[in-house]
Amino acid sequence: PENWERNQTRRDAILGNMLAEKMIDQAQYDEAIATPVNETTVIISEPKNGCLYATAAKFFCDYVLRNVPNLEALGATPEERKANFALGGYDIYTTIDLDQNNLAEQLLVAQTPPTETRFALGSAVSTIQVGTGRIVVMAQNKTYDNRDAAAGGGDPSTTSVNYNTDANYGGSSGFQPGSAYKLFTLIDWLEKGHGLNEQVDGNQKTYTPSMLKAKCAPNGSNYAVKNDGGGNRGRLSVSAATAGSVNAAFYSMASKLDLCDIRDAATRMGVARADGDPLNTFPSIVLGTDEVSPLSMANAYATVANNGVLCTPIAVDRVVTAEGEELPGQTSTCEQVIGPEIAHAAGKALQGVMRGGTGAASNPNDGTPLIGKTGTADAFHTWILSASTKVSSAVWVGNISGQQSLRRISVAGGQAATARHRIMKPLQAALDQGIGAGATAFPEPPRSLVNGTGQAVPQLAGQTQDAAKKLVESLGFDFAVGATVASEVPAGRVVSSDPGGGALVSKGSLITVTVSDGSLAVTMPNVVGQRFDQAAGTLGGSGFDVGKVAINYVASDPKETCTVTGSNPAAGAATSKAASITLTVNGGELVPGRDPDCS
């Protein structure tokens, strides 16, 4: 009411201009000017325009509106498209699957309550249709509200920030994806000719700048790599390292690659920092320390599921004008960004994640083949990526701001760090029955990408150091001598190697041998014909542990009771002082259940 008088003054000025321009006649002017502006004529109605008043998928609605400058059907330039859209009258048919989106919202709210007050808990789901780029799910745990607190907004359970997208589309500045980013090291590994069965080092270590190369931006600091939960994992295949998400193993891989190439693989697959800055090339990027959006990560995994073809995300299928003319919607640009066989090999490793690896808790096990990867960033952000040949989804659960460890707090009756699985599993099951129905098996990779450039380590035990060195270097490996150990192998000869004989490793890998000091080498003495007590003395004198000698009694001539009739090892055999010795001894007339006393 306090504005009615000024509204009437402004109205009257406009009516005067309309009369002067002959847009209305005098009678229309007189009738309109006589109408008061007060409680009898001003009827306040609830607004119906804008995504705040949409009945569903409000964050996706906001994303669509921010894509208007990209709708080529509305005009030749972004400015023309915005101007035409502002005139109204268009029906916009979008890609969203409301049933699946509503389910995703329900799961997010149930497992990550928007009313959480102990810390800023956020969560989001992005799902993309493989091969088309169509966004079918865009949901999060908060309620959409673009009003400020003075206008009735500002509730902690609401936000206008779309956690699924980049900042320039109404999103946040992104979240660290953690180990979900390991996909790009895996891709570069395969592109460089390496294979899934090649063994890499899963032990924790500190990498120097010379060990982690970055041709585009040289790194100048050391980087200490630790496995989640600590501890060394030894040597393991790249497939096993992927399924178990072993940090140290991926740095072992990265040490044979280049951090800039890993970054470029992510860029080719549609991933960018959500704040618009370039992806980094720090040593930490192997573990996903760039802040990215769930939508871009879902699309990167869709690229693997789509045989290496990246399709840009789209939100609009078609547009109908006020006159009923049907216009095209957004067109996804699809491009082969990684080789099909590279995608197939990566997919094989990522299937292990979902079958028995770190992502198994998200697998509904309904018969749909899945690839996927988990990610945890300093316990502040958790991810699960899951894709079939039909749909690809990213679930993020984490801190909107702050650093609350999700491993040390429970939400909705379960550990916050595992909420991602409680969201993804039922969502994936619903997708498999809905828009993702009919998913097929992932193609098998060629043998060349299973074994890669890997070379089997030769059996080196028993060889001289010089002979072992020549053989190792002839096969393209580096050679080093490690510890000297007590062994029955002649002094100076190789006892074992790391990696061991038969292991498939990359050329250029370091093969370290242990060498014998010869201290356990001994020749088995001849004790046949001696009484057991004499034989024990002979063995003890040769360095054997008499207390560990086993006796095998046999019935024979009672006059020769306790005489040794045979030995294993046999007399004259080369053996070890630590070897197990078994003596066959005459037991005379054996009594069942009772051995003779030959000690």
Side-chain angles (χ1 to χ4, degrees):
E2 63 270 18
N3 291 327
W4 287 347
E5 182 179 348
R6 284 177 290 167
N7 271 266
Q8 181 164 331
T9 300
R10 178 63 182 152
R11 183 205 65 180
D12 292 349
I14 293 172
L15 288 171
N17 290 337
M18 294 175 72
L19 178 62
E21 295 295 331
K22 298 183 179 179
M23 300 172 72
I24 56 175
D25 58 26
Q26 187 66 47
Q28 290 173 313
Y29 172 83
D30 292 341
E31 179 184 0
I33 206 78
T35 303
V37 177
N38 56 32
E39 68 277 358
T40 66
T41 57
V42 178
I43 308 299
I44 302 297
S45 60
E46 287 297 322
K48 296 181 180 179
N49 293 330
C51 294
L52 182 63
Y53 304 100
T55 57
K58 296 183 180 182
F59 287 99
F60 180 72
C61 169
D62 184 80
Y63 180 77
V64 171
L65 290 183
R66 293 174 186 272
N67 265 277
V68 166
N70 301 326
L71 292 179
E72 296 180 359
L74 301 185
T77 66
E79 292 72 25
E80 184 180 350
R81 295 161 197 163
K82 290 166 65 177
N84 286 337
F85 187 81
L87 295 176
Y90 293 100
D91 287 332
I92 309 295
Y93 290 84
T94 74
T95 60
I96 202 74
D97 185 317
L98 286 178
D99 289 339
Q100 302 287 8
N101 201 78
N102 290 340
L103 173 62
E105 289 180 348
Q106 292 167 15
L107 291 168
L108 291 167
V109 169
Q111 298 299 332
T112 53
T115 53
E116 173 62 56
T117 58
R118 294 169 296 173
F119 71 109
L121 173 62
S123 61
V125 173
S126 283
T127 300
I128 288 180
Q129 189 176 46
V130 172
T132 68
R134 298 176 71 251
I135 302 168
V136 293
V137 174
M138 182 178 282
Q140 61 191 64
N141 67 329
K142 299 292 186 180
T143 300
Y144 180 82
D145 195 335
N146 58 359
R147 300 172 296 175
D148 59 26
D155 187 309
S157 66
T158 68
T159 184
S160 62
V161 177
N162 188 340
Y163 304 144
N164 282 285
T165 68
D166 294 344
N168 60 347
Y169 284 102
S172 68
S173 58
F175 311 101
Q176 292 185 2
S179 291
Y181 202 86
K182 287 174 180 172
L183 168 63
F184 310 114
T185 298
L186 176 62
I187 294 295
D188 191 47
W189 172 264
L190 295 167
E191 289 183 331
K192 296 298 189 295
H194 295 290
L196 301 179
N197 286 347
E198 291 185 43
Q199 292 195 357
V200 290
D201 187 0
N203 293 330
Q204 302 176 133
K205 67 174 67 174
T206 296
Y207 284 83
T208 64
S210 63
M211 297 165 71
L212 292 174
K213 298 178 287 294
K215 58 190 175 187
C216 60
N219 165 48
S221 60
N222 293 342
Y223 188 74
V225 176
K226 295 184 178 181
N227 290 321
D228 190 23
N232 293 323
R233 296 291 299 274
R235 300 201 71 85
L236 69 171
S237 70
V238 169
S239 287
T242 303
S245 197
V246 181
N247 294 345
F250 272 80
Y251 274 91
S252 178
M253 294 161 64
S255 69
K256 296 177 175 60
L257 307 171
D258 190 288
L259 297 175
C260 300
D261 292 338
I262 294 172
R263 176 206 60 186
D264 292 346
T267 301
R268 277 186 283 128
M269 295 174 71
V271 176
R273 285 184 58 89
D275 60 9
D277 289 343
L279 292 172
N280 289 307
T281 55
F282 306 135
S284 62
I285 68 159
V286 175
L287 296 183
T289 52
D290 269 311
E291 290 84 5
V292 298
S293 70
L295 184 64
S296 68
M297 289 299 291
N299 207 28
Y301 280 76
T303 301
V304 176
N306 195 32
N307 303 306
V309 176
L310 170 70
C311 294
T312 54
I314 59 172
V316 176
D317 282 335
R318 60 192 175 96
V319 176
V320 178
T321 68
E323 294 75 27
E325 180 185 3
E326 188 163 312
L327 304 175
Q330 290 177 295
T331 300
S332 179
T333 301
C334 294
E335 179 183 2
Q336 190 85 48
V337 296
I338 59 175
E341 293 181 341
I342 300 295
H344 301 163
K348 188 171 184 66
L350 296 173
Q351 287 179 73
V353 174
M354 302 303 289
R355 286 174 176 165
T358 57
S362 283
N363 192 338
N365 295 310
D366 56 8
T368 301
L370 297 174
I371 63 172
K373 188 71 188 72
T374 53
T376 302
D378 295 325
F380 309 142
H381 302 283
T382 60
W383 297 67
I384 174 68
L385 279 295
S386 178
S388 68
T389 57
K390 293 290 187 180
V391 289
S392 176
S393 299
V395 170
W396 162 78
V397 176
N399 290 252
I400 300 168
S401 60
Q403 296 183 339
Q404 169 62 52
S405 171
L406 301 186
R407 290 174 170 170
R408 297 181 178 180
I409 195 167
S410 293
V411 294
Q415 189 189 54
T418 58
R420 54 184 166 172
H421 298 303
R422 299 192 295 275
I423 295 165
M424 180 63 89
K425 186 173 183 177
L427 175 65
Q428 185 67 58
L431 289 168
D432 293 343
Q433 295 298 313
I435 196 169
T440 59
F442 292 94
E444 286 292 318
R447 195 67 191 170
S448 61
L449 286 174
V450 175
N451 291 336
T453 57
Q455 173 75 44
V457 176
Q459 299 292 344
L460 301 174
Q463 297 192 28
T464 65
Q465 294 180 49
D466 286 344
K469 184 174 188 295
K470 289 178 181 178
L471 177 57
V472 164
E473 291 180 344
S474 72
L475 294 173
F477 301 122
D478 292 333
F479 179 85
V481 177
T484 299
V485 298
S487 170
E488 66 276 12
V489 176
R493 289 182 176 264
V494 174
V495 175
S496 63
S497 65
D498 181 25
L504 195 68
V505 296
S506 306
K507 289 186 177 182
S509 295
L510 179 65
I511 310 300
T512 302
V513 297
T514 56
V515 179
S516 173
D517 63 5
S519 62
L520 298 182
V522 66
T523 299
M524 180 67 184
N526 186 1
V527 295
V528 175
Q530 297 182 8
R531 287 184 56 82
F532 177 77
D533 55 350
Q534 293 176 310
T538 301
L539 292 172
S542 296
F544 294 103
D545 184 351
V546 178
K548 295 181 179 179
V549 174
I551 305 175
N552 178 31
Y553 287 105
V554 295
S556 188
D557 186 351
K559 296 179 182 179
E560 299 294 331
T561 299
C562 294
T563 300
V564 177
T565 61
S567 67
N568 185 19
T575 186
S576 168
K577 294 176 182 178
S580 298
I581 304 295
T582 300
L583 298 181
T584 301
V585 178
N586 180 1
E589 295 179 351
L590 292 176
V591 177
R594 187 177 65 188
D595 291 333
D597 182 11
C598 291
S599 60

